[in-house]
Amino acid sequence: MSFPYSRKSKSENDTIAIADEFSKYLKRGMIVVLNGDLGTGKTFFTKQVLKKFGVTNSNSPTFAIVNPYSGDETFYHFDFYRINKEEELHDIGIEDYLKDEESIIFIEWGNLFPQVIPHTRIEINISFVDENEREFSFKEYE
């Protein structure tokens, strides 16, 4: 996979295949930001990537803000959807998480607080094509 990269998904199996391909690219210290409307599949995609690393108990961090996972790698899965102010992210120590070069970080709804997101990241935008089809657009920022 090289960036920028775009691919359509017409089913959950297509999304699983995209997650499988993307998981081969991931390394410790990477930050992955997922943006898209409600229901586009941000959490589903993330769960499928985590499965490739032996994490089978992941769920949406919407109410917890961050869920840590250990498998073949250490992951932090954030969801900024219910965050009202940037200070809430600083209160949970977002800077410490983002500096952890031994983990891989996924952030859903990162576009809500772009000033917190490091410049070096992979950004995945997921958009509806229609009820059953999604467009995945990957871009790397260095």
Side-chain angles (χ1 to χ4, degrees):
M1 179 178 279
S2 60
F3 303 105
Y5 178 77
S6 183
R7 186 161 162 197
K8 289 186 180 174
S9 170
K10 294 184 179 185
S11 67
E12 285 188 352
N13 285 337
D14 285 351
T15 299
I16 291 168
I18 296 167
D20 185 38
E21 184 178 356
F22 181 67
S23 69
K24 295 172 186 170
Y25 180 78
L26 287 176
K27 294 177 180 42
R28 290 180 185 167
M30 288 186 159
I31 297 170
V32 180
V33 178
L34 298 105
N35 298 313
D37 291 334
L38 283 170
T40 53
K42 296 177 295 296
T43 300
F44 181 81
F45 177 82
T46 302
K47 289 171 82 167
Q48 298 310 310
V49 172
L50 293 176
K51 281 184 183 179
K52 302 297 178 191
F53 291 91
V55 177
T56 58
N57 64 334
S58 64
N59 55 41
S60 175
T62 300
F63 293 101
I65 302 174
V66 62
N67 288 338
Y69 299 108
S70 291
D72 299 338
E73 298 290 345
T74 299
F75 296 90
Y76 295 106
H77 182 191
F78 287 86
D79 188 329
F80 288 0
Y81 185 70
R82 296 204 182 274
I83 300 293
N84 295 311
K85 295 182 284 184
E86 181 180 337
E87 291 76 31
E88 294 175 59
L89 294 169
H90 296 295
D91 289 345
I92 65 165
I94 188 81
E95 298 87 0
D96 293 330
Y97 288 104
L98 296 175
K99 290 178 189 173
D100 184 350
E101 294 187 6
E102 295 300 312
S103 67
I104 299 169
I105 297 172
F106 285 86
I107 302 172
E108 294 186 35
W109 296 96
N111 57 314
L112 297 178
F113 294 95
Q115 66 279 12
V116 174
I117 305 298
H119 181 73
T120 302
R121 67 189 185 278
I122 297 170
E123 198 160 298
I124 305 171
N125 290 298
I126 307 171
S127 56
F128 287 109
V129 175
D130 61 35
E131 184 178 325
N132 298 311
E133 191 172 353
R134 309 289 189 268
E135 175 88 27
F136 284 77
S137 299
F138 297 77
K139 187 172 181 182
E140 186 170 26
Y141 295 86
E142 296 181 26

